[in-house]
Amino acid sequence: AVVGPPGHPTLDRVVLNDIVITRGSLSRMIDLEVSVGESFVTRVKADGLILATPTGSTAYNLSAGGPIVEPSVDAFVMTPIAPHTLTQRPVVMSGGTELRIRPRFEHAKTEVYATFDGQLGCELTDGDEVVIRRAARPLTLVRASGRTYYDVLQEKLKWGK
């Protein structure tokens, strides 16, 4: 993920799970313009927006009503947080997609923040954009051979109990 004015990034971060774009503590609902590459997709008016990888799909994304995505699926998930309209639904996109999120500041007191894997955050200002694309190098994860992905989901989510 890259953050900053177009062509002038101020932050470049590798993200494993999710990027969350949210309002400040005293802010109203935020307005985010979403594009795939240079093509406009939608404006999201909500409390925020979660952009998750399959690895991050079972965290905040799941709690906000987003789908569980199997780790072998090459995808991003875009999930609005408490959207203003019922037509704003989670969307699963190809992992090769380049997403661009631009906050629209209609009120002087609006605060918008981007948080990366819940560890690092930054305030977004007028003219900033968050650009999300697949990392240049893939990540290899080690999995215990005794449990499948679905065994872990059953245990954590109490499926079938």
Side-chain angles (χ1 to χ4, degrees), residues 73-97:
V73 175
D74 182 17
F76 289 118
V77 178
M78 181 176 75
T79 303
I81 303 168
H84 179 65
T85 62
L86 294 176
T87 58
Q88 293 291 319
R89 308 304 308 154
V91 178
V92 179
M93 300 175 193
S94 165
T97 301

Side-chain angles (χ1 to χ4, degrees), residues 1-13 122-125 128-129:
V2 176
V3 178
H8 302 286
T10 55
L11 179 69
D12 190 345
R13 184 84 174 175
C122 67
E123 184 171 3
L124 303 177
T125 59
D128 281 349
E129 68 178 359

Side-chain angles (χ1 to χ4, degrees), residues 15-18 51-62 67-77 117 139-141 149 153 156:
V15 177
L16 177 62
N17 297 309
D18 58 28
L51 301 141
T53 65
T55 305
S57 71
T58 56
Y60 193 7
N61 171 71
L62 181 62
I68 295 171
V69 180
E70 190 175 77
S72 63
V73 175
D74 182 17
F76 289 118
V77 178
D117 283 336
L139 173 68
T140 302
L141 296 175
Y149 175 70
L153 286 180
K156 288 186 176 186

